[in-house]
Amino acid sequence: MKLREVLDGRWAEVRQAARDRLAGDRFVAVPGETIEQARERVTRLLRELPTELAAAGFPAEHGGAGDPGAAVVAAEMLGFLDLSLMVKAGVQWGLFGGAVAALGTRRHHDAYLKKIVSGDLLGCFAMTETGHGSDVQRLRTVCAYDPDTESFDLHTPYEAARKDYIGNAARDGRVAVVFAQLITQGERHGVHAFLVPIRDADGEPLPGVTIGDDGHKAGLLGVDNGWLSFDHVRVGRDMLLDRYGQVAPDGGYSSPIDDDARRFFTMLGTLVRGRVTVGGAASSATKQALTIAIRYGETRRQFTAPGRDREVVLNDYLAHQRKLTVALATTYALTFAQDQLVATMHEVQSAVDPVDGHRQRELESRAAALKVAQTWHATRTIQTCREACGGAGYLAANRLPGLKADTDVFTTFEGDNTVLLQLVAKGLLTGYRDSFGSLDGWGRTAFVAEQVREMVLERTAARSLIQRLIDAAPGGAERPFTDRGWQLAMLEDRERHVLDGVIRRLRRNAATREQPFDVFNDVQDHALKAASAHIDRVVLEAFVAGIERATDPAARALLSRVCDLYALSTIEADKGWFLEHERLTPVRSKALTSVVNGIVKDLRPQMTTLVDAFGIPEAWLASAILREEPRRQEDMAVEG
Amino acid sequence: MKLREVLDGRWAEVRQAARDRLAGDRFVAVPGETIEQARERVTRLLRELPTELAAAGFPAEHGGAGDPGAAVVAAEMLGFLDLSLMVKAGVQWGLFGGAVAALGTRRHHDAYLKKIVSGDLLGCFAMTETGHGSDVQRLRTVCAYDPDTESFDLHTPYEAARKDYIGNAARDGRVAVVFAQLITQGERHGVHAFLVPIRDADGEPLPGVTIGDDGHKAGLLGVDNGWLSFDHVRVGRDMLLDRYGQVAPDGGYSSPIDDDARRFFTMLGTLVRGRVTVGGAASSATKQALTIAIRYGETRRQFTAPGRDREVVLNDYLAHQRKLTVALATTYALTFAQDQLVATMHEVQSAVDPVDGHRQRELESRAAALKVAQTWHATRTIQTCREACGGAGYLAANRLPGLKADTDVFTTFEGDNTVLLQLVAKGLLTGYRDSFGSLDGWGRTAFVAEQVREMVLERTAARSLIQRLIDAAPGGAERPFTDRGWQLAMLEDRERHVLDGVIRRLRRNAATREQPFDVFNDVQDHALKAASAHIDRVVLEAFVAGIERATDPAARALLSRVCDLYALSTIEADKGWFLEHERLTPVRSKALTSVVNGIVKDLRPQMTTLVDAFGIPEAWLASAILREEPRRQEDMAVEG
């Protein structure tokens, strides 16, 4: 069955290479470690990872493959093994190394990239502060230039300005890319990045540098998160990562981008890969959890039933099928969406000529959207899977506790999901889209009343196919639920309508609310819903386009059924909205639930096939119940 | 403000005594322990708990207070301190000691209860098996009587029959109450309980007893869960806990209850206190998480807004308010429902004459309902609170990781929530209610077609008040949303309608489905919905009755507003159903959302007051951010 090939997507070779190169249990997470054991093992294994995995995203001239897409996919594969290792590798090569590559210039690349790729120089990405995680534009670390010494004075003015939750800080990092407010010749020029040594060759903090340990966390124990505080630390002028902003020896500032905020968000934009990676890795964890829960449910039995000679397997219960199979369908949808996003990111980041701002911001918006979708889906689905495995699901040896604890923070780092949803919503309003992608909560609401114009829904995948599907049947009440064009039209229509409502309310609020803050705040729930509706729609489009790439007829037929389940369960979950806005009648709505249940039952015999297609090697699953439960059931079957 | 008194409920004195006797941080959970450290600390602290807390539920003649309600409330208070300690205490006194008290007779009480209460004899409750957690009627451990030796042969026939997930097994327990299939004179008499020594005075497993360790779990590291396997272990005849079934020296069996299954479920019914306790303790964890998240949200600031001189506090954002305040309203509702349940349980268990079967099964059904509601609410709300606290919420020192990890299994133990919902649904159908409370999945579907008659919704609290409220206004479209009678009528009507649908479908399935299993399975989702609708309704009734007990006008007014939020957010969350069944028009449905948002905003200034009313001592909250964030914000405010 060609299903796995389709899911492996455009970088199938990278996935297969990872399965081969990282085979066995060598890199598999170890349940029940102490924090010290986890940190030691992850740091050791980081250095044992194949070089091509570490280097994939870096320019060829510095030992890399110049393949950003491969770097993301390799990280997704690491996500099946050990999320701490995935995050540690992401910090080292994606964030720290990525910042040096994207924000530094030739001299930085020549001096540092090779050591970063080899793991000889472990480093940190120090942007987040205790007081500012989401609104990093307003971070408080300062870095002031002194022409007399031709160096900067890096300083943490108070506790809330500490760099915090910094991976590689508490134990291993020797250098940090530190983001700080640049001041020179008495003027502030916004946030810039500096390369700052933090530990000496013996591992001791350098003068003026204080390093703290964030200590025990809910999960990701193998990542040594800590905080950094700088007490007037001297940083050489050449340590400014100066691709987007330069300081001359006399302190004169220059930059190709005049506006401070625009410049900062342009810098951030080059780091979009982290967000794309986190979304993809979250989906790896989801796939792992579903594989464990569905395979367990195929062997685990409980309660007798008339007409059945043995107790009933869990997967035979409608409620059990529903929760797992619907989550599985969404996971399939997100897999296609992620594959498409990685391809887009790869194109943009590999382009020889700089990409226009509009495409860059579309990429950032899509990355935010899929980060939100995949991380919330992961944390909810893994919870469902833990409960579906009962008491066994609570034991660390069965892997689900680790998956839950490790993925929990994915909804917060690389962008808080609620804040990211607002970013997505703003991107849908043409008045904002052409401005720089500010992360703030619609701060410039003065903007809003004048600039919010018509929104334009852009189709994002398989445009002509989708247009044909939607046009294929006349509008009207009685198109079958399994008509793909109807499904797409329903989601497009909802997105358009909700966005329209956001615009209407913003204009009304701007005219009537006394408090400027309320102009935005009163519409926050609608804005978040608009973003969610947008995400559902683009994900369905990606699923449709993905099915087109499948050549095997059996695979296409099965994927089509799974796509029906994704689309219809998505509509069903929001039937309140569709009924409220009379896109569904009460009769159709009840019928919809029956149809969804019917597809769930149709897919019952394929549950295992569908998770097998994720292609997670047995040794990577490492869940004791998958070995033990079949054997235990055999004991009981013999006894009768 | 008298709010705390109202929430403290009927056993307010017990709560206050706990706050006093367990003051300070001595019993507070310690984040970041190893499994060995956690087990050692919890076992040590178990023995340091005040005797009245340990003894509350036991008969006075054996050193107890004969106060079942106080035992539950004391456990709920322990839930604020350390859920491992709460569970360990619950295993020791509630399950192990409770089984000896409820299922044993005088000689067992005289020999064991005092040592159990004092903690000198630590023991296990060994019912669950690896292969049977939910359907314990079908557990596989056997215990066969041999008249020649006047003893039983207790045996684990294969691995799946091991007693598993047993608290107090892996480290501490010396004796276990073991549930096994009793066989005598060649006949099986169903599941009975036996008192079985498992370790000698030196802590070594006794001959024939194998003890294993379940190892690392997602949480509750302080509870030493393990498995027990018996290899033809001899158990004296007098070690049968023989209140409900006796074996004479010659092996003759006798019992006041003829039917094996009825006898077993009667025995289980005496142990309902565990289920009531788990629900209440889950709510304690929810309250703790909400207190931390809401107080943090009152100080934590992020993003500027026009017209605001400082960054905006998180609690000012509509989306933040919505998620936290709606969860808070549900928590208030469940607090009143739990208080009412504990009172009912106390009455039933304190009754001098045995209570009629109908009342006992109603108690069991209500206990199941509130266990489901409170544990799912806990796990979802604590997740929301963790995300609301961002990166800080991920650090163990801020308490949320421990609350999440510890409560996660509460949706599974003391009854898997999905199975319990089915139990609740069955209790609503009069054909089942008068039968014994079988836990199986509607196994006897032959039953169904003949016996399912009209269902009767019984009002469960403040009956006459509720009747007056519902009757107070004529039926019709335009009653205000805040009309309590309208709210009650909506939930009653939904419950009635969904139940009616379950009955209709069961009858139809019994006539048309080929596979008997499908008669039930096809309607499983409707049955679960019927149970959920029932739970929402009885919880609202309890909230209404609870407000009546409040004497302070300001408290009543605030509680009434919170009750509006509970009722209306519950209806809003299921507006799909209400629209589908034309109980709401599209126009009313949109208005409902506006009204909910309006109440959320009205309650904004009261968020802290509402969590303060939970009365969790500062030392028990033990969340570092509550001390640190105000200080850090002051630093930043000064800087401007």
Side-chain angles (χ1 to χ4, degrees):
Chain A
M1 161 78 84
K2 304 288 181 10
L3 207 53
R4 179 200 292 196
E5 286 177 32
V6 179
L7 291 186
D8 273 3
R10 293 167 175 85
W11 276 270
E13 286 173 16
V14 173
R15 295 190 191 278
Q16 196 49 46
R19 291 180 185 116
D20 298 336
R21 294 295 305 275
L22 307 173
D25 63 5
R26 180 177 177 205
F27 294 96
V28 171
V30 175
E33 291 176 305
T34 63
I35 192 172
E36 292 78 21
Q37 290 168 335
R39 288 175 169 185
E40 185 280 329
R41 180 181 56 80
V42 167
T43 301
R44 174 169 42 84
L45 290 178
L46 181 78
R47 294 187 161 119
E48 293 178 17
L49 287 170
T51 313
E52 62 265 28
L53 194 146
F58 292 97
E61 55 198 322
H62 296 287
D67 191 339
V72 171
V73 170
E76 290 178 19
M77 298 307 283
L78 269 190
F80 289 117
L81 287 158
D82 182 340
L83 291 158
S84 285
L85 182 56
M86 189 236 44
V87 170
K88 184 92 170 176
V91 165
Q92 171 67 10
W93 295 312
L95 294 178
F96 172 58
V100 172
L103 306 181
T105 47
R106 173 130 225 127
R107 68 178 187 286
H108 303 115
H109 300 166
D110 289 344
Y112 293 102
L113 285 185
K114 200 161 170 191
K115 292 186 278 188
I116 291 173
V117 168
S118 71
D120 286 326
L121 180 65
L122 296 182
C124 315
F125 179 88
M127 178 184 287
T128 297
E129 297 182 355
T130 303
H132 291 88
S134 292
D135 191 9
V136 282
Q137 201 185 351
R138 249 158 280 286
L139 55 81
R140 301 296 220 253
T141 308
V142 288
C143 207
Y145 185 71
D146 174 11
D148 294 337
T149 58
E150 284 192 24
S151 67
F152 292 93
D153 178 321
L154 176 67
H155 188 65
T156 304
Y158 40 68
E159 197 178 295
R162 286 176 178 169
K163 295 305 181 186
D164 208 350
Y165 314 111
I166 310 299
N168 261 347
R171 186 182 190 269
D172 296 327
R174 298 254 312 281
V175 180
V177 170
V178 180
F179 289 78
Q181 303 283 357
L182 191 158
I183 301 172
T184 181
Q185 295 183 339
E187 281 194 41
R188 290 179 161 256
H189 293 277
V191 176
H192 288 68
F194 301 80
L195 210 42
V196 182
I198 56 170
R199 283 189 172 89
D200 62 26
D202 300 321
E204 292 305 309
L206 286 165
V209 179
T210 307
I211 303 178
D213 197 327
D214 283 330
H216 212 91
K217 308 186 298 287
L220 295 180
L221 294 191
V223 184
D224 57 329
N225 294 93
W227 54 263
L228 304 172
S229 189
F230 304 98
D231 184 14
H232 298 293
V233 171
R234 182 175 288 188
V235 176
R237 187 179 69 87
D238 59 335
M239 298 298 255
L240 167 65
L241 294 175
D242 60 343
R243 178 168 167 197
Y244 291 102
Q246 302 84 32
V247 172
D250 68 356
Y253 182 83
S254 59
S255 167
I257 303 171
D258 285 338
D259 183 273
D260 287 351
R262 180 188 292 275
R263 183 189 318 112
F264 176 56
F265 288 108
T266 301
M267 287 164 54
L268 278 195
T270 63
L271 301 167
V272 72
R273 194 186 340 150
R275 193 162 284 168
V276 175
T277 301
V278 160
S283 285
S284 296
T286 307
K287 292 168 185 172
Q288 189 145 16
L290 282 168
T291 301
I292 292 168
I294 284 175
R295 285 178 53 181
Y296 182 66
E298 205 58 41
T299 57
R300 176 74 176 177
R301 295 171 182 270
Q302 199 78 188
F303 292 115
T304 53
R308 295 276 185 118
D309 54 353
R310 289 181 69 180
E311 288 169 284
V312 180
V313 286
L314 299 188
N315 282 357
D316 278 351
Y317 288 106
L318 174 63
H320 208 80
Q321 291 161 10
R322 229 196 190 273
K323 57 180 126 168
L324 295 179
T325 314
V326 169
L328 190 50
T330 301
T331 305
Y332 264 67
L334 291 171
T335 297
F336 288 113
Q338 174 73 4
D339 187 60
Q340 180 184 299
L341 169 62
V342 173
T344 303
M345 182 208 81
H346 182 85
E347 266 181 58
V348 167
Q349 297 198 332
S350 307
V352 173
D353 303 316
V355 162
D356 72 70
H358 180 74
R359 268 187 86 198
Q360 174 68 25
R361 279 186 295 281
E362 278 209 326
L363 168 62
E364 290 167 30
S365 181
R366 180 60 56 89
L370 289 184
K371 186 272 188 187
V372 170
Q374 294 183 94
T375 55
W376 265 335
H377 180 63
T379 210
R380 290 165 187 162
T381 301
I382 295 168
Q383 180 71 37
T384 297
C385 291
R386 199 298 291 151
E387 293 183 16
C389 292
Y394 199 61
L395 302 184
N398 296 324
R399 289 305 294 284
L400 293 163
L403 292 174
K404 182 71 191 74
D406 287 347
T407 52
D408 187 79
V409 74
F410 281 45
T411 54
T412 294
F413 70 16
E414 278 294 339
D416 173 272
N417 278 8
T418 302
V419 172
L420 290 183
L421 274 186
Q422 286 173 185
L423 179 69
V424 169
K426 283 173 63 179
L428 301 172
L429 301 170
T430 52
Y432 283 98
R433 185 185 305 161
D434 298 327
S435 76
F436 49 86
S438 164
L439 285 172
D440 75 66
W442 310 67
R444 296 172 177 52
T445 44
F447 219 155
V448 173
E450 294 101 59
Q451 305 222 7
V452 175
R453 300 187 294 277
E454 297 297 307
M455 105 294 304
V456 173
L457 256 67
E458 292 183 20
R459 300 230 175 80
T460 58
R463 286 176 181 78
S464 53
L465 167 63
I466 286 167
Q467 191 62 55
R468 281 201 313 277
L469 288 167
I470 291 178
D471 294 343
E478 295 307 315
R479 287 168 76 170
F481 291 121
T482 50
D483 179 318
R484 190 77 69 226
W486 177 83
Q487 297 165 1
L488 286 158
M490 283 287 270
L491 294 191
E492 264 199 27
D493 179 61
R494 177 180 63 164
E495 181 185 352
R496 183 176 293 116
H497 189 96
V498 177
L499 263 174
D500 195 58
V502 171
I503 292 173
R504 234 185 330 105
R505 286 177 172 85
L506 280 172
R507 287 189 177 138
R508 184 188 65 204
N509 288 354
T512 60
R513 290 281 186 276
E514 291 180 10
Q515 296 294 330
F517 174 69
D518 293 336
V519 171
F520 149 68
N521 202 37
D522 280 2
V523 82
Q524 191 185 22
D525 54 341
H526 289 278
L528 297 177
K529 187 169 183 72
S532 294
H534 169 75
I535 294 170
D536 290 344
R537 191 260 302 178
V538 302
V539 167
L540 179 59
E541 288 183 353
F543 202 157
V544 171
I547 295 175
E548 288 303 298
R549 297 180 63 239
T551 51
D552 176 75
R556 284 180 74 110
L558 181 53
L559 286 170
S560 184
R561 209 73 180 114
V562 174
C563 189
D564 282 337
L565 184 57
Y566 169 69
L568 296 178
S569 65
T570 298
I571 292 167
E572 186 199 29
D574 200 26
K575 67 181 179 181
W577 187 91
F578 288 100
L579 284 156
E580 218 175 55
H581 295 85
E582 296 174 279
R583 269 54 172 180
L584 278 177
T585 61
V587 169
R588 282 273 275 176
S589 179
K590 290 175 192 169
L592 176 61
T593 293
S594 295
V595 169
V596 170
N597 281 351
I599 301 174
V600 164
K601 281 182 223 164
D602 277 356
L603 289 174
R604 161 71 186 99
Q606 308 283 6
M607 285 169 87
T608 310
T609 298
L610 288 169
V611 293
D612 285 349
F614 293 141
I616 304 172
E618 202 68 21
W620 291 10
L621 282 173
S623 175
I625 34 174
L626 297 185
R627 291 189 309 274
E628 294 169 352
E629 193 64 26
R631 188 167 44 70
R632 292 167 176 169
Q633 290 294 331
E634 279 316 302
D635 289 341
M636 290 193 283
V638 164
E639 195 213 38
Chain B
M1 161 79 86
K2 303 289 183 5
L3 206 52
R4 180 200 290 197
E5 286 177 34
V6 179
L7 290 186
D8 273 2
R10 294 166 175 83
W11 277 269
E13 286 173 17
V14 173
R15 295 191 191 278
Q16 197 48 47
R19 289 180 186 116
D20 298 337
R21 295 295 306 275
L22 308 173
D25 62 5
R26 181 178 176 203
F27 295 95
V28 171
V30 175
E33 290 175 306
T34 64
I35 193 173
E36 292 77 24
Q37 290 168 334
R39 287 175 169 185
E40 186 279 327
R41 180 180 57 79
V42 167
T43 302
R44 175 168 42 82
L45 290 178
L46 181 78
R47 294 186 161 119
E48 293 178 17
L49 286 171
T51 312
E52 63 264 29
L53 193 146
F58 290 98
E61 56 200 319
H62 297 286
D67 192 322
V72 172
V73 171
E76 290 180 19
M77 298 308 283
L78 269 190
F80 289 118
L81 287 157
D82 183 340
L83 291 158
S84 285
L85 182 56
M86 188 236 48
V87 170
K88 184 91 169 173
V91 164
Q92 171 68 9
W93 296 311
L95 295 178
F96 171 58
V100 173
L103 307 181
T105 47
R106 173 131 224 127
R107 68 177 185 285
H108 303 114
H109 301 166
D110 289 345
Y112 293 101
L113 285 186
K114 202 162 169 190
K115 291 187 277 187
I116 291 173
V117 168
S118 71
D120 286 325
L121 179 65
L122 296 182
C124 313
F125 179 89
M127 177 183 287
T128 298
E129 297 182 355
T130 303
H132 290 87
S134 292
D135 191 9
V136 282
Q137 201 185 350
R138 248 158 282 286
L139 56 82
R140 302 295 220 254
T141 307
V142 288
C143 207
Y145 185 70
D146 175 10
D148 294 337
T149 57
E150 284 192 23
S151 67
F152 292 93
D153 178 319
L154 175 67
H155 189 64
T156 304
Y158 39 69
E159 196 178 295
R162 286 176 177 169
K163 295 304 182 187
D164 208 351
Y165 313 111
I166 309 300
N168 260 346
R171 185 181 191 268
D172 296 328
R174 297 256 311 281
V175 180
V177 169
V178 180
F179 289 79
Q181 303 285 356
L182 191 158
I183 302 173
T184 181
Q185 298 182 337
E187 281 193 40
R188 290 178 161 257
H189 292 277
V191 176
H192 288 68
F194 301 82
L195 210 41
V196 182
I198 55 170
R199 282 189 173 87
D200 63 24
D202 300 321
E204 291 307 308
L206 286 164
V209 179
T210 308
I211 302 178
D213 196 326
D214 284 330
H216 212 90
K217 309 187 295 291
L220 294 178
L221 294 192
V223 183
D224 56 329
N225 294 95
W227 54 263
L228 303 172
S229 189
F230 304 98
D231 183 14
H232 298 292
V233 172
R234 183 176 288 190
V235 176
R237 188 180 67 89
D238 60 334
M239 298 299 255
L240 166 64
L241 294 176
D242 59 343
R243 178 168 166 196
Y244 291 102
Q246 302 83 32
V247 171
D250 69 356
Y253 181 82
S254 59
S255 168
I257 304 170
D258 285 336
D259 183 271
D260 287 353
R262 180 188 290 276
R263 183 188 319 111
F264 176 55
F265 288 108
T266 302
M267 288 164 53
L268 278 197
T270 63
L271 300 168
V272 71
R273 192 185 342 150
R275 193 163 284 168
V276 176
T277 300
V278 159
S283 285
S284 295
T286 306
K287 291 168 186 171
Q288 189 146 17
L290 282 168
T291 300
I292 292 168
I294 283 174
R295 285 179 51 181
Y296 182 66
E298 204 59 41
T299 56
R300 176 73 176 179
R301 295 173 182 270
Q302 199 78 188
F303 292 115
T304 52
R308 296 275 184 119
D309 54 355
R310 290 181 69 181
E311 289 169 283
V312 180
V313 287
L314 300 187
N315 283 358
D316 278 352
Y317 288 106
L318 174 62
H320 208 79
Q321 291 161 11
R322 232 197 187 270
K323 58 180 124 169
L324 296 179
T325 314
V326 168
L328 189 51
T330 301
T331 306
Y332 265 67
L334 292 170
T335 297
F336 288 113
Q338 174 73 3
D339 188 59
Q340 181 185 298
L341 169 62
V342 173
T344 303
M345 182 210 80
H346 181 87
E347 265 181 59
V348 167
Q349 297 199 332
S350 308
V352 172
D353 302 315
V355 163
D356 74 69
H358 180 74
R359 267 188 87 199
Q360 174 69 26
R361 279 185 296 280
E362 278 209 326
L363 169 62
E364 290 167 32
S365 180
R366 180 60 57 90
L370 289 184
K371 185 273 187 189
V372 170
Q374 293 183 94
T375 55
W376 265 336
H377 181 63
T379 211
R380 290 165 187 165
T381 301
I382 295 168
Q383 180 70 40
T384 297
C385 291
R386 199 298 292 153
E387 294 183 18
C389 292
Y394 199 62
L395 302 183
N398 295 325
R399 290 306 293 284
L400 293 163
L403 293 174
K404 180 72 191 76
D406 288 346
T407 52
D408 187 80
V409 74
F410 282 45
T411 53
T412 294
F413 71 15
E414 279 294 341
D416 173 272
N417 279 7
T418 301
V419 173
L420 290 183
L421 274 187
Q422 286 172 186
L423 181 69
V424 170
K426 283 174 63 178
L428 300 173
L429 302 170
T430 52
Y432 283 98
R433 187 187 303 161
D434 298 327
S435 76
F436 49 84
S438 163
L439 285 173
D440 74 65
W442 309 68
R444 293 168 180 53
T445 45
F447 222 153
V448 173
E450 294 101 58
Q451 305 223 6
V452 175
R453 300 187 295 276
E454 298 294 311
M455 105 293 305
V456 175
L457 255 66
E458 292 184 17
R459 301 234 174 79
T460 59
R463 285 176 182 78
S464 52
L465 167 63
I466 286 166
Q467 192 62 56
R468 281 201 314 276
L469 288 168
I470 290 178
D471 294 344
E478 293 308 314
R479 288 168 75 168
F481 291 120
T482 51
D483 179 318
R484 189 77 68 225
W486 176 83
Q487 296 166 0
L488 287 157
M490 283 288 271
L491 295 191
E492 264 198 27
D493 179 59
R494 177 179 63 162
E495 181 185 351
R496 182 176 293 118
H497 188 96
V498 178
L499 263 174
D500 195 59
V502 172
I503 292 173
R504 233 184 331 104
R505 286 176 172 85
L506 280 171
R507 288 187 176 139
R508 183 187 67 203
N509 287 355
T512 60
R513 290 281 186 275
E514 292 180 9
Q515 294 296 328
F517 174 69
D518 293 336
V519 172
F520 149 69
N521 201 37
D522 280 2
V523 82
Q524 191 186 22
D525 55 341
H526 289 277
L528 297 177
K529 187 172 182 68
S532 293
H534 169 76
I535 294 170
D536 289 344
R537 191 258 304 178
V538 302
V539 168
L540 179 59
E541 289 183 351
F543 202 158
V544 171
I547 295 175
E548 287 303 297
R549 299 180 63 240
T551 52
D552 177 76
R556 285 180 74 110
L558 181 52
L559 286 170
S560 183
R561 208 72 180 115
V562 175
C563 189
D564 282 337
L565 184 57
Y566 169 67
L568 297 179
S569 64
T570 298
I571 293 167
E572 187 200 29
D574 200 26
K575 67 183 179 181
W577 187 91
F578 289 100
L579 284 157
E580 218 175 55
H581 295 84
E582 295 175 280
R583 270 52 172 181
L584 279 177
T585 61
V587 169
R588 282 272 275 177
S589 179
K590 289 175 192 168
L592 176 61
T593 293
S594 294
V595 169
V596 170
N597 281 352
I599 301 174
V600 165
K601 280 181 222 162
D602 278 356
L603 290 174
R604 162 70 187 101
Q606 307 284 6
M607 286 169 86
T608 310
T609 298
L610 289 168
V611 293
D612 284 349
F614 293 141
I616 305 172
E618 202 67 21
W620 292 9
L621 282 173
S623 174
I625 33 174
L626 296 185
R627 292 187 309 274
E628 294 169 351
E629 193 64 24
R631 187 167 46 71
R632 292 167 175 168
Q633 290 294 332
E634 280 315 302
D635 289 341
M636 289 194 282
V638 165
E639 196 212 37

